[in-house]
């Protein structure tokens, strides 16, 4: 049985005034475009197609809120590092992320990183954004594409780079590696 039986789309926000009420607890998900964020959200919530809502035209550049259970939300941030994002759309970013950062309910951030690519300089801004007391957890995604040896190296490299700033784990939406571990982290933060 899914741990998030009643998960559903709540709202999309183009501006902080459209954010839902700042009560309860929420965890944000971020990642470079194509890193596997949508697949990770679907696997963790066990709702195929849930995150597709965030990819529908008009919503890809918005902050999308899903309710996992009463007063507990998942916040899907727009993918970054995508050259085609228009400058006009990028301008809203600081305002949105700044407002999100100040929400009482925000507990932490999941960062989805393609394991073959590893953590890059482009991801660093996120770690700075999510400063204590926010927690950060990195999903090294698509690890089904790696050999066991490669996966071990990826984990070690990520841990060195993170240097205690965040926890990290291997993850695959495709073969289910690390899904339970990620669910445990998420529910732990939200409780
Ligand atoms: P997003 O842009 O970060 O939301 O990424 P998506 O979830 O849409 O995934 C981008 C691409 O990576 C798609 O072609 C997915 O099928 C693929 N993908 C996502 N997760 C996995 C995974 O765990 N394993 C493999 N092999 N491919 C994946």
């Amino acid at each position: 049985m899914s741990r998030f039986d009643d998960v559903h789309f709540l709202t999309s926000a183009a501006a902080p005034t459209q954010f839902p009420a700042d009560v309860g607890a929420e965890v944000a998900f971020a990642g470079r475009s194509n890193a596997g964020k949508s697949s990770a959200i679907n696997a963790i919530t066990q709702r195929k197609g849930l995150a597709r809502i965030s990819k529908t035209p008009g919503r890809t550049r918005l902050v999308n809120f899903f309710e996992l259970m009463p007063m507990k939300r998942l916040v899907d941030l727009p993918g970054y590092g995508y050259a085609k994002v228009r400058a006009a759309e990028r301008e809203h970013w600081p305002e949105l992320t700044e407002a999100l950062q100040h929400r009482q309910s925000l507990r932490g951030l999941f960062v989805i990183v393609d394991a073959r690519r590893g953590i890059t300089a482009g991801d660093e801004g996120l770690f700075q954004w999510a400063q204590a007391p926010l927690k950060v957890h990195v999903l090294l995604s698509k690890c089904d594409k790696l050999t066991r040896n490669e996966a071990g190296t990826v984990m070690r490299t990520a841990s060195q780079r993170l240097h205690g700033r965040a926890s990290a784990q291997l993850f695959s939406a495709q073969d289910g590696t690390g899904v339970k571990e990620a669910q445990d982290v998420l529910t732990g933060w939200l409780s």
Side-chain angles (χ1 to χ4, degrees), residues 28 101 106-111 124-137 165-166:
Q101 191 183 30
L106 188 66
R107 297 285 181 269
L109 176 71
F110 270 51
V111 182
E124 285 293 333
L126 270 181
F127 297 119
Q128 281 161 23
W129 176 78
Q131 283 170 1
L134 286 186
K135 298 186 184 87
V136 183
H137 188 61
R165 292 177 296 167

Side-chain angles (χ1 to χ4, degrees), residues 20-101:
D22 189 7
V23 290
E26 63 195 17
V27 172
F29 277 57
R32 176 179 286 273
S33 296
N34 218 36
K37 175 167 58 78
S38 304
S39 304
I41 290 173
N42 290 340
I44 290 169
T45 59
Q46 297 182 337
R47 276 306 152 87
K48 255 191 185 168
L50 183 76
R52 202 183 301 142
I53 294 166
S54 306
K55 291 201 160 184
T56 53
R59 287 220 173 95
T60 53
R61 300 292 146 211
L62 305 179
V63 178
N64 294 295
F65 291 82
F66 297 90
E67 190 166 74
L68 296 171
M69 48 187 99
M71 309 279 256
K72 311 228 186 260
R73 294 174 298 278
L74 186 158
V75 188
D76 188 5
L77 297 175
Y80 56 89
Y82 191 50
K84 284 189 193 152
V85 178
R86 287 188 296 128
E89 289 169 335
R90 267 199 304 254
E91 270 171 26
H92 293 298
W93 253 103
E95 189 199 0
L96 284 169
T97 50
E98 168 95 15
L100 194 66
Q101 191 183 30

Side-chain angles (χ1 to χ4, degrees), residues 30-43 51 54-55 76-77 79-80 112 114 116 140-146 171-177:
R32 176 179 286 273
S33 296
N34 218 36
K37 175 167 58 78
S38 304
S39 304
I41 290 173
N42 290 340
S54 306
K55 291 201 160 184
D76 188 5
L77 297 175
Y80 56 89
I112 293 77
D114 188 322
R116 293 165 304 170
L140 298 161
S141 71
K142 310 188 195 180
C143 72
D144 55 280
K145 296 194 177 189
L146 304 177
F171 186 89
S172 167
Q174 184 149 308
D175 70 10
T177 302

